[in-house]
Amino acid sequence: MPESSAAAGSGRTIPGTPAPVTPFPAVGTSVPGSVGTSLQILRSLDSGPRGLVEAHAEERLARFGENVLPAWRPVPWPRRFVRSLRDPFTSVLLCLGLVSAVVSAWGTACVILALVAVSCLLRSTEEHRADRSTAALRELVATTATVVRRTSADAPSREREVPVADLVPGDVIRLGPGDLVPADVRVLRAGGLTVHQSALTGESAPVAKHPLDAPDPALAGAGPFAQPQLCFQGSSVTSGSGTAVITATGGATRFAAAHDGRARQRGASAFDRSVQGISWTLIRFMLLTPPLVLMANAALRGRGLETLPFAVAVAVGLTPEMLPVIVTTALARGAARLARTSGVIVKRLPALHDLGAVDVLCLDKTGTLTEDRPVVEAAVDGSDLPDPGVLRWAALSALWTLQLAELPAPDALDEAVLDAAEHPEDSAYEGVAALPFDPVRRVATAVLRRPGRLGVHTLVTKGAVEAVLERCALDGEERERLLALAARKAESGLRLLAVARADRPARHGGYTPADERGLTFVGLVALRDVPAPSAADALDVLARRGVTVKVLTGDHPGTAARVCEDLGLRTDPAGGCGEVVTAELVDTLSDAELARVADRATVFARCTPEHKARIVSALRAAGHTTGFLGDGVNDLPALHAADVGICPRNAVDVAREAADVVLAEKDLTAIDRAVLAGRHSSGNIATYLRITLSSNLGNVIAMLTAGLMLPFLPMLPAQVLVQNLCFDAAQLAFAFDRPGASALRRPAVLRSRDFLRFITGFGLLNAAADLATFGVLALALHNAAGTDGEAAFHAGWFTENLLTQALVMVLLRTGRSAAERRAGGPLRAAAGGLAVVGVLLPLTPLGPLLGMSALPLLYYLLLGSVLGLYAVGLTAARRRYERRR
């Protein structure tokens, strides 16, 4: 995630409002909009039910600033450059440069500081560019709010969508299911409005909100979050709808007071931990190298501090200076390519690598494995006989709940019922009131006025079978019979809505959930899920890529199992591919037991949001890298629990804000493309680490050995650093490479033990080639002596080092087949350039300045033989390594 800087934010309230919020106010203290009636609050904000005039809103925006948290502002480039010095490798390089300056090795110090400057410049530039790209991508999913405004004082008000950042105190906004509460607000009107305040209070249950103009003695001293007329930024609407006026924005909100930006920071990802672990191991070794070199030279050659610059250069030679640049560039390019070609937005750059490492993908089936809109299969009465009246009552309930509760759109089940019914909107029934669906009651109720029934209101309730039957006037035997009927239908893979109704004397007062009692059972509406056309093929592709799909749903086990079976996801234990696990079983398991069950299970049914989050956490604890695809408010806990939270672009605002990756559409094919992009970037990073560190380790071993065997330094410090600079420039090609298809077939996991085994084995092979070069140099230069011999030796080893590093880049590139290795265009070009520099640099006027001289032709002939044998050895070792994997 891009870094952010903290900046002081001023309070954004209008004169005349109650005192602004101070950080962490005491419970019970007054907050903006909490005191007075709704009309008084509107007057104090110089607003009204018709909203602000556009010109006044613009004035307030200019005066009080945008509705953003100060901690979310981007970091300026100069500050990012300075912060890049905190990278462990960069810090060590800087220290080594300062040590060189202390011992008056000015050439070494200048080259080291140049490497530090180049590393910081490239890293900060790439991160700044990635930050700008991410900011541009965020605009595609920028959170908006529905605001009521007027073009002039006399013009009628109208609703329109505006960015949340443009909201100001006094704005009148509309709230609906799934919306983020964009600022601190006072509720003016509500219908079944409930919100989640867990981001502020930690409570998991939704809280009901409604207007309150008269003080309630029962709420005295209860604190601001218990006030039903107040909603706060950071909350999210669970159900119902409402109209509210904004009382505080930006830094003056309760959310800004309680959260200082650290709340949004994530811990290190699995990739970050792996790289940091390897990095610090190498850094410790690198810090031990200079004293070992000094002591060995003092003991065997009688040399003193004059070897310190060489010891420092050896330590620098082990450092993968370009690691931060390669990681940032590879991930930024992958994210930009995904956005350009697939409409997939990566909001947090490290999440792209985590996508490539995902081996378990958890998702709900609706809209992913199935179409978003189920279809009605049948409507039956309590005797399981077809009854069109059941569907008609269900459609009337759906229609008037949608209209009277001001819901933005019907949910999938209501939409299917309305499509199957015959013109319910033409009915003579008139809606009176509505109690919208919420996840606690699991029912929705519409109150209707029926033609010819003066003085009577009819309540029509529909929802989950168990919840509706609880509200019906039935004896125990009849209730059990109906539950058994519903269970048989659910086990066949059908989704069920129960319908009930009751007549009540007409009244002018409002209706509450307490009125949903003593109902008469009408019947059941059975619906079936239609598998998504591309789901089966996408599941097959993900399986071949090593990604296991697990379905976490709130549906009946039979419904979920039927869809999975239709798509080829076996759910029976005998099939060896998993089993259906219910939430009731999950509640009885410990975390360790749940981790073992989750490994073999394919479907988890009847899941609440807390169950989903616990299952995802159990899979992570078992060592899996997990992704979770969700799009609703109930998916928030699991989105936060997963390594990678994924949602479609049309998800509710709060889910989009919580996700790491946003898809153009809710489609498994898009996830497959995102996984491939993650493996592409991760493969390039892993290849860079393996090749660079194995080559560096071999060079360090050879330099240490040569330093003890030769009467002079095997390579001057400036030569070591120039060689590293050339190799660093060539290494940038890793960020632009295209890994072979074989590298994309499995999750991109960087296993420390396997990684260290690789660099040790190939590092020793590289050291053997360097030591063989000593013999070649001794044979080719047996007549040379003194300074000329030393300069020729330095030139010969310099050339051999760059040539062997070029060979390693080509031969150890990711990809098993010869065709895949030959396809590495950027790497092959970079390796060719490195080889040309290695051969020609000692022959140029720069060679003598660096202490190198021209070599005899015999050396190049003998070196060609050594390189040929080295290439054969590399190829054989690579094949053996791949067979063992």
Side-chain angles (χ1 to χ4, degrees):
M1 173 176 284
E3 297 179 74
S4 56
S5 63
S10 60
R12 296 172 177 85
T13 53
I14 303 296
T17 63
V21 179
T22 57
F24 306 102
V27 173
T29 56
S30 176
V31 298
S34 62
V35 180
T37 66
S38 298
L39 182 59
Q40 289 172 334
I41 296 299
L42 286 169
R43 286 177 177 173
S44 69
L45 293 168
D46 194 19
S47 184
R50 295 192 299 154
L52 294 175
V53 176
E54 290 284 0
H56 294 167
E58 291 176 2
E59 291 174 2
R60 295 186 184 189
L61 183 62
R63 179 181 178 187
F64 300 110
E66 292 184 334
N67 178 35
V68 296
L69 294 183
W72 296 354
R73 294 173 182 171
V75 178
W77 185 89
R79 183 176 297 178
R80 192 181 297 280
F81 181 88
V82 174
R83 287 186 178 183
S84 62
L85 292 172
R86 296 187 304 185
D87 177 79
F89 283 118
T90 306
S91 299
V92 171
L93 275 176
L94 185 60
C95 292
L96 293 175
L98 295 177
V99 170
S100 300
V102 169
V103 298
S104 300
W106 300 111
T108 302
C110 289
V111 175
I112 290 178
L113 294 177
L115 282 173
V116 170
V118 169
S119 178
C120 291
L121 178 65
L122 290 174
R123 182 180 182 186
S124 57
T125 300
E126 289 297 334
E127 288 188 353
H128 186 66
R129 185 180 304 165
D131 204 2
R132 287 190 303 171
S133 299
T134 304
L137 296 177
R138 283 177 181 270
E139 294 298 324
L140 299 177
V141 291
T143 303
T144 61
T146 304
V147 66
V148 179
R149 286 182 180 172
R150 297 168 288 161
T151 57
S152 65
D154 298 329
S157 60
R158 62 187 182 90
E159 297 180 5
R160 67 184 184 92
E161 295 289 318
V162 301
V164 166
D166 293 345
L167 296 177
V168 296
D171 264 329
V172 175
I173 61 172
R174 308 289 193 202
L175 297 173
D179 287 345
L180 285 171
V181 178
D184 290 355
V185 302
R186 167 75 178 250
V187 177
L188 303 176
R189 186 159 55 92
L193 181 65
T194 61
V195 301
H196 266 299
Q197 299 182 151
S198 57
L200 295 162
T201 65
E203 57 184 328
S204 58
V207 179
K209 298 292 182 180
H210 56 80
L212 182 66
D213 282 340
D216 187 346
L219 297 175
F225 298 113
Q227 302 296 324
Q229 77 277 21
L230 299 180
C231 296
F232 299 94
Q233 184 182 44
S235 307
S236 58
V237 178
T238 305
S239 63
S241 60
T243 301
V245 60
I246 294 177
T247 57
T249 61
T253 63
R254 296 286 292 206
F255 189 86
H259 298 262
D260 60 0
R262 290 192 297 265
R264 292 183 58 86
Q265 295 180 3
R266 289 174 174 261
S269 67
F271 174 73
D272 293 331
R273 292 192 298 270
S274 298
V275 172
Q276 288 295 326
I278 295 170
S279 299
W280 280 110
T281 299
L282 294 170
I283 288 172
R284 293 185 188 102
F285 179 77
M286 183 182 61
L287 293 177
L288 288 175
T289 300
L292 289 176
V293 172
L294 290 174
M295 288 187 294
N297 276 276
L300 298 178
R301 293 291 178 182
R303 299 167 184 160
L305 288 177
E306 67 270 15
T307 60
L308 181 58
F310 173 71
V312 172
V314 170
V316 174
L318 188 62
T319 309
E321 303 96 331
M322 301 299 289
L323 177 61
V325 178
I326 297 295
V327 170
T328 302
T329 304
L331 295 179
R333 290 189 71 250
R337 184 169 55 249
L338 264 181
R340 184 175 62 255
T341 61
S342 304
V344 176
I345 299 168
V346 180
K347 297 168 58 181
R348 183 175 63 90
L349 280 183
L352 185 61
H353 171 270
D354 295 335
L355 268 175
V358 162
D359 61 345
V360 174
L361 176 64
C362 301
L363 47 83
D364 195 349
K365 65 181 182 60
T366 305
T368 308
L369 303 181
T370 62
E371 297 282 4
D372 276 329
R373 296 176 62 178
V375 296
V376 173
E377 180 85 359
V380 299
D381 60 14
S383 301
D384 200 16
L385 298 175
D387 185 352
V390 176
L391 181 60
R392 183 166 176 267
W393 283 115
L396 286 170
S397 175
L399 175 67
W400 287 108
T401 301
L402 174 66
Q403 294 188 8
L404 295 178
E406 298 182 354
L407 300 178
D411 66 19
L413 296 181
D414 283 350
E415 196 168 12
V417 168
L418 291 171
D419 287 344
E422 294 183 358
H423 308 295
E425 65 276 5
D426 295 338
S427 171
Y429 291 80
E430 180 183 353
V432 175
L435 300 174
F437 179 88
D438 69 64
V440 178
R441 290 163 47 243
R442 297 200 298 159
V443 297
T445 297
V447 182
L448 311 177
R449 185 180 293 113
R450 300 167 64 182
R453 299 290 301 275
L454 295 177
V456 175
H457 287 169
T458 300
L459 279 70
V460 184
T461 300
K462 63 171 177 53
V465 176
E466 298 88 344
V468 171
L469 291 180
E470 286 177 0
R471 292 162 170 78
C472 291
L474 299 171
D475 57 38
E477 183 177 347
E478 179 66 8
R479 181 175 286 106
E480 291 301 321
R481 186 186 69 82
L482 292 173
L483 286 172
L485 171 63
R488 290 195 300 272
K489 289 186 171 296
E491 288 171 0
S492 67
L494 296 174
R495 304 174 68 179
L496 299 174
L497 282 176
V499 184
R501 65 184 180 88
D503 290 337
R504 299 280 192 268
R507 69 187 191 207
H508 295 292
Y511 287 84
T512 69
D515 295 306
E516 299 169 335
R517 293 290 183 268
L519 307 177
T520 300
F521 182 75
V522 176
L524 299 171
V525 178
L527 305 99
R528 60 180 174 86
D529 291 315
V530 180
S534 61
D537 292 338
L539 287 172
D540 184 58
V541 170
L542 287 173
R544 291 200 304 270
R545 301 200 193 283
V547 179
T548 301
V549 174
K550 297 186 182 293
V551 179
L552 280 55
T553 179
D555 287 340
H556 187 279
T559 305
R562 171 69 176 274
V563 171
C564 292
E565 292 285 351
D566 291 344
L567 293 171
L569 282 175
R570 295 288 299 278
T571 57
D572 58 293
C577 296
E579 58 190 42
V580 177
V581 177
T582 61
E584 290 78 8
L585 176 60
V586 171
D587 289 333
T588 65
L589 300 175
S590 66
D591 290 343
E593 291 170 335
L594 179 58
R596 291 193 293 270
V597 170
D599 257 340
R600 69 173 185 268
T602 300
V603 178
F604 293 83
R606 295 297 193 197
C607 289
T608 64
E610 290 72 25
H611 286 124
K612 294 180 181 181
R614 189 178 171 216
I615 293 166
V616 171
S617 298
L619 288 167
R620 290 188 67 188
H624 295 287
T625 303
T626 60
F628 183 85
L629 173 63
D631 62 355
V633 175
N634 62 327
D635 294 322
L636 278 179
L639 285 169
H640 286 296
D643 290 285
V644 187
I646 310 169
C647 77
R649 189 178 298 179
N650 61 355
V652 297
D653 291 346
V654 66
R656 269 204 321 262
E657 192 67 26
D660 302 306
V661 178
V662 180
L663 308 176
E665 54 190 7
K666 196 175 182 181
D667 181 16
L668 287 179
T669 303
I671 294 181
D672 177 59
R673 291 193 293 268
V675 167
L676 280 181
R679 293 184 183 180
H680 184 148
S681 298
S682 301
N684 287 342
I685 295 169
T687 302
Y688 159 78
L689 284 170
R690 289 191 177 99
I691 292 177
T692 299
L693 290 176
S694 61
S695 180
N696 287 0
L697 181 62
N699 288 338
V700 167
I701 293 173
M703 280 193 287
L704 292 176
T705 305
L708 299 177
M709 293 173 56
L710 298 174
F712 54 86
L713 292 178
M715 189 175 289
L716 299 178
Q719 295 165 359
V720 175
L721 296 174
V722 169
Q723 172 187 277
N724 287 343
L725 189 59
C726 293
F727 195 27
D728 289 342
Q731 287 168 348
L732 284 175
F734 285 107
F736 299 88
D737 190 26
R738 296 189 64 84
S742 60
L744 306 177
R745 291 174 186 159
R746 58 184 181 273
V749 180
L750 192 63
R751 297 182 176 89
S752 299
R753 183 174 300 177
D754 178 68
F755 177 80
L756 293 176
R757 186 186 302 119
F758 181 96
I759 65 173
T760 301
F762 285 93
L764 291 174
L765 185 60
N766 182 274
D770 287 343
L771 294 175
T773 304
F774 295 164
V776 169
L777 287 168
L779 182 61
L781 304 174
H782 68 281
N783 291 326
T787 306
D788 291 340
E790 291 183 21
F793 184 93
H794 293 157
W797 199 13
F798 180 88
T799 298
E800 183 269 348
N801 272 334
L802 292 191
L803 290 177
T804 54
Q805 288 174 340
L807 269 179
V808 167
M809 290 178 65
V810 174
L811 295 181
L812 294 190
R813 175 182 176 270
T814 303
R816 294 187 177 181
S817 69
E820 289 175 350
R821 289 189 296 276
R822 285 195 299 269
L827 275 183
R828 292 171 66 85
L834 192 64
V836 169
V837 171
V839 172
L840 297 182
L841 183 61
L843 305 178
T844 66
L846 188 59
L849 295 177
L850 293 173
M852 295 185 288
S853 63
L855 290 160
L857 179 62
L858 176 62
Y859 169 74
Y860 293 104
L861 296 176
L862 294 175
L863 179 60
S865 301
V866 172
L867 293 178
L869 292 174
Y870 180 52
V872 172
L874 273 180
T875 303
R878 178 184 52 76
R879 289 175 178 171
R880 183 172 181 271
Y881 172 78
E882 289 172 351
R883 284 196 302 269
R884 292 184 62 181
R885 292 185 71 189

